[in-house]
Amino acid sequence: KQIIFRKTFPELERSIIRESFKFYPGKPWAKYNTTKHVWTFYNGSIIEFGYLQRENDVYLYQGAEYDVVRFDEATHFTYDQVTYLRTRIRGTLKIPRSLKLSTNPGNVGHFWVKNRFVDPVPPLNFFRGSDNTRRIFIPAKIGDNFALAENDPDYENRLRATGDKNLTDMLLEGK
């Protein structure tokens, strides 16, 4: 059981949900419930989509159990929101469980994400945090996205044309 969070449901629809249909289009082993926003697979596995627009929305998931909790654009969330949802990672089956975050720099969660994942050790090195959880920071820069470079070669120029060095550095270099 997995859940993927964004700040609002429209953000999910414009990104993750739309992309998920590329992976599971018309497959007999996966069905999407548009009312519940859940992919259900033939073996009973699920991928659920959730949102946390307000700080207290975490309590909408009280009592839930997930094997994997994912945050897309993790810096849009507060440390308290992510910490609470970590408590939903549990279950009776003996399978791996994890918390996964993907993000761009900036926003309300910038500093807690940087302090927890980026600053402790160089990128691509596993380490244990003060809470003994295993962590790794995997940077992704504009040069790592070969499909974007090939199919939209002017993207980098459009970013630089904003004239906002901070924004450009964040989106191109992950700074």
Side-chain angles (χ1 to χ4, degrees), residues 99-160:
L99 171 68
K100 299 189 182 285
L101 309 168
S102 58
T103 197
N104 284 295
N107 221 303
V108 66
H110 177 86
F111 291 106
W112 78 259
V113 169
K114 187 174 184 300
N115 289 337
R116 192 169 174 87
F117 296 97
V118 179
D119 291 343
V121 299
L124 305 175
N125 288 283
F126 282 101
F127 67 99
R128 293 221 174 252
S130 60
D131 59 359
N132 204 33
T133 58
R134 191 169 178 234
R135 303 178 194 163
I136 187 171
F137 168 57
I138 304 170
K141 298 180 181 179
I142 189 76
D144 299 327
N145 192 333
F146 302 117
L148 182 65
E150 182 179 328
N151 297 311
D152 190 0
D154 290 329
Y155 176 66
E156 185 173 344
N157 291 333
R158 286 194 307 275
L159 283 180
R160 292 189 189 287

Side-chain angles (χ1 to χ4, degrees), residues 1 21 23 79 84 98 102 118 142 149 151-152 166:
K1 297 180 279 189
F21 278 91
F23 289 101
Y79 177 77
Y84 182 81
S98 61
S102 58
V118 179
I142 189 76
N151 297 311
D152 190 0
N166 263 353

Side-chain angles (χ1 to χ4, degrees), residues 41-57:
F41 298 84
Y42 75 96
N43 66 355
S45 295
I46 66 161
I47 299 174
E48 181 179 340
F49 300 100
Y51 63 91
L52 299 167
Q53 190 165 6
R54 290 172 294 284
E55 190 73 19
N56 285 341
D57 284 348

Side-chain angles (χ1 to χ4, degrees), residues 1 58 69 132 162 173:
K1 297 180 279 189
V58 295
V69 172
N132 204 33
T162 66
E173 300 298 324

Side-chain angles (χ1 to χ4, degrees), residues 15-28:
S15 59
I16 304 290
I17 293 173
R18 185 178 295 163
E19 288 297 311
S20 75
F21 278 91
K22 293 177 183 176
F23 289 101
Y24 316 120
K27 304 289 185 194

